[in-house]
Amino acid sequence: MPKITAPTIAAHRARTRERIMEAVDELIRTQGIDRVSMTDVANSAGLTRTALYNYFPDKPALLLAFTEQVNIAFVERYRRELPSGVSAARRLSAFVRLQLEGIMAHPHPPAAELGASLGPDAYQALAAHVAPMQRLLTEILEEGTLAGEFDSLPAEHTARLTLSMVGSQRLPLVSGEIDLDETHALVTRFVLRALGVVTETVDTILLKPTGTTTQGGRV
């Protein structure tokens, strides 16, 4: 029987699960996803392998849980920090910025690569985890189209293309080949110009801090 280190069994399990997730985060950063083993995670979290298997039956289940936790935190942050009362173009710029900051905070393989590593069932599960972010971006694109800011393009397909554009900058960003501000400006400019936003408006959005409004209330 493992020693209970919290007031209740539920609190103990929650605390242990948090240690496991922290161990996964650190090991993926230092070793890469393919080299992480259940033994590594157990050792890093201060558990026996048997104890770890009581929480997660195998590596795919462990990595799915970790990805789900990261994505939930991202969506909560987006809902909290995306500016309101501004143009859809500015909201899109802020969304891209948050995506890139997320990559810097958690420089792990994207969902598609994790799914490829863990098999088709895991890929489907990962797709479900990232769906809320895609829906949020789709909402921004639909808002911009209805307001006449963006050209009329299929919002869901455009959202996927935009997320792919962000993902394409993962390695250059994490390796330091390009910094966060440069990457944000590059992706935002490319996407907004593809949506038909004029250069002058794009320049204004990139020059002014996110969430800043004009006297008319929208930028």
Side-chain angles (χ1 to χ4, degrees):
M1 173 71 70
K3 182 180 179 181
I4 303 299
T5 59
T8 66
I9 293 177
H12 170 76
R13 287 186 63 83
R15 188 172 297 173
T16 301
R17 193 179 191 280
E18 183 178 348
R19 292 210 318 271
I20 293 169
M21 294 295 101
E22 290 172 352
V24 174
D25 189 6
E26 180 62 24
L27 287 167
I28 292 178
R29 289 174 187 269
T30 57
Q31 297 182 191
I33 181 174
D34 292 330
R35 296 181 59 189
V36 173
S37 69
M38 295 291 278
T39 299
D40 293 331
V41 174
N43 290 338
S44 182
L47 303 171
T48 65
R49 284 187 62 184
T50 300
L52 177 60
Y53 282 118
N54 287 332
Y55 288 83
F56 301 100
D58 50 34
K59 180 177 174 179
L62 176 60
L63 293 178
L64 284 170
F66 174 74
T67 304
E68 180 179 21
Q69 176 175 293
V70 170
N71 284 328
I72 288 173
F74 281 176
V75 172
E76 290 176 350
R77 184 186 177 197
Y78 294 169
R79 294 292 186 186
R80 183 176 64 250
E81 296 187 17
L82 275 177
S84 59
V86 298
S87 67
R90 185 171 289 282
R91 280 171 58 80
L92 190 148
S93 173
F95 180 95
V96 169
R97 181 80 183 199
L98 288 170
Q99 281 271 305
L100 295 170
E101 289 177 354
I103 289 174
M104 295 293 288
H106 297 278
H108 310 123
E113 290 184 24
L114 283 171
S117 174
L118 301 177
D121 291 341
Y123 183 84
Q124 291 299 321
L126 286 167
H129 293 333
V130 301
M133 285 188 286
Q134 183 172 314
R135 285 197 298 270
L136 180 55
L137 179 55
T138 299
E139 291 171 8
I140 295 172
L141 293 166
E142 290 173 341
E143 173 192 340
T145 301
L146 288 173
E149 293 181 54
F150 302 154
D151 290 346
S152 183
L153 298 171
E156 289 187 15
H157 297 300
T158 305
R160 284 196 290 269
L161 287 171
T162 302
L163 291 172
S164 295
M165 177 67 62
V166 173
S168 72
Q169 298 305 302
R170 177 180 296 273
L171 289 179
L173 186 61
V174 172
S175 69
E177 179 182 331
I178 184 171
D179 69 23
L180 178 61
D181 290 337
E182 291 174 313
T183 309
H184 172 244
L186 173 65
V187 175
T188 298
R189 186 178 300 279
F190 190 96
V191 172
L192 290 181
R193 292 294 290 122
L195 288 167
V197 180
V198 298
T199 300
E200 291 79 4
T201 300
V202 176
D203 289 342
T204 298
I205 289 170
L206 292 174
L207 285 172
K208 297 177 69 174
T210 300
T212 302
T213 61
T214 62
Q215 291 183 347
R218 291 172 70 86
V219 175

